[in-house]
């Protein structure tokens, strides 16, 4: 794997986790059962934890990210 491929994959993973957090949070809003909401919010928390772990790598490599709201809106649309 070359560096360009690695950095592109890192960015996809990072943005995927941000979008995933928004996706699960939006999905939780659709359910009325507190148990289902809790499970979906737990999944959102896992996504958030993962993007927070990846963020220092994104910053270290100076990777240009897309607008955060765009990524979040994509996650909600999923």
């Amino acid at each position: 794997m070359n560096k360009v491929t690695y950095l592109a994959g890192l960015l996809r993973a990072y943005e995927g986790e941000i979008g995933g957090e928004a996706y699960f949070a939006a999905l939780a809003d659709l359910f009325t059962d507190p148990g289902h909401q809790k499970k979906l919010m737990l999944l959102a928390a896992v996504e958030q934890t993962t993007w927070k772990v990846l963020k220092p790598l994104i910053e270290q490599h100076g990777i240009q990210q897309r607008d955060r709201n765009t990524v979040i809106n994509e996650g909600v649309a999923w």
Side-chain angles (χ1 to χ4, degrees):
M1 174 186 313
N2 64 36
K3 186 174 181 178
V4 172
T5 302
Y6 167 75
L7 296 177
L10 182 59
L11 179 60
R12 274 193 312 275
Y14 176 72
E15 290 182 345
E17 298 300 326
I18 292 170
E21 177 188 9
Y23 169 76
F24 286 118
L27 198 55
D29 287 341
L30 298 176
F31 285 84
T32 56
D33 179 89
H36 290 128
Q37 290 174 330
K38 183 177 179 180
K39 290 171 189 169
L40 289 163
M41 289 308 295
L42 180 59
L43 290 169
V46 170
E47 299 283 316
Q48 181 185 73
T49 299
T50 306
W51 73 252
K52 284 184 174 183
V53 168
L54 294 174
K55 186 174 182 172
L57 286 172
I58 294 291
E59 292 171 349
Q60 174 187 338
H61 290 290
I63 299 172
Q64 181 65 38
Q65 306 156 44
R66 291 186 298 149
D67 175 68
R68 184 175 184 79
N69 288 328
T70 300
V71 176
I72 290 170
N73 289 336
E74 287 176 358
V76 171
W78 293 334

